[in-house]
Amino acid sequence: MQIQLSEADGTPYYLQVANQVKFLVASGRLEPHEQLPSVRGLAQQLTITPNTVARAYRELEAEGVVISKRGAGVFISNGVSPLSNKEKRRILNERMDALLTESRQLGVDEETLLKLLRQRSQKFDLYKEVEK
């Protein structure tokens, strides 16, 4: 499971984890009944405290995204519906706001940022071709 945290984001880490898990579910990269990493394992991977991961998992469980099975782990819920367009847009807007803020702090103008984004997009297209 690929999750990246950003200190510059301003969003608490547990919310970043929860939002990214929701995004992975909505995009189909995490499927129903798929097991998530253990609290301790994900905490080590992200170099955060296990309490932070546990809080993210509790949030996800409260929203019905995951099911916690005592002694077995945390699993993606069967009845998870894909994110609405409004929710997808909200997530993307948060990420774009963070990117714009960071680029301005680094002195990168909008045109350069768009050029870099297009280059990264092309690399992702190449990765997709290799995976097929």
Side-chain angles (χ1 to χ4, degrees):
M1 183 167 68
Q2 197 70 342
I3 292 181
Q4 295 180 338
L5 300 178
S6 170
E7 287 184 27
D9 188 327
T11 305
Y13 286 155
Y14 81 94
L15 281 178
Q16 289 184 47
V17 171
N19 287 339
Q20 289 183 49
V21 168
K22 285 189 257 182
F23 177 78
L24 291 168
V25 169
S27 66
R29 287 189 240 156
L30 288 176
E31 298 192 12
H33 308 292
E34 189 170 336
Q35 187 171 9
L36 295 181
S38 68
V39 168
R40 189 176 306 252
L42 187 57
Q44 286 176 338
Q45 176 188 332
L46 299 174
T47 61
I48 57 177
T49 67
N51 287 342
T52 302
V53 175
R55 185 170 179 188
Y57 282 2
R58 281 194 307 273
E59 291 281 325
L60 291 166
E61 189 168 21
E63 294 177 23
V65 176
V66 300
I67 297 172
S68 181
K69 297 181 182 177
R70 190 174 182 96
V74 179
F75 299 83
I76 301 299
S77 179
N78 190 28
V80 178
S81 59
L83 295 176
S84 67
N85 286 335
K86 182 179 178 183
E87 182 67 7
K88 288 178 187 177
R89 189 159 300 197
R90 184 193 66 75
I91 291 169
L92 288 173
N93 281 338
E94 283 179 6
R95 292 183 180 207
M96 287 188 289
D97 290 350
L99 177 63
L100 287 167
T101 299
E102 289 175 19
S103 66
R104 287 189 178 129
Q105 289 172 349
L106 294 170
V108 176
D109 63 55
E110 185 178 321
E111 194 59 41
T112 303
L113 180 62
L114 287 171
K115 182 180 176 183
L116 291 169
L117 186 60
R118 285 187 192 99
Q119 289 172 352
R120 295 294 297 173
S121 179
Q122 289 172 351
K123 285 184 181 181
F124 275 102
D125 290 341
L126 291 174
Y127 295 144
K128 287 180 185 177
E129 290 298 320
V130 170
E131 290 176 356
K132 287 183 182 178

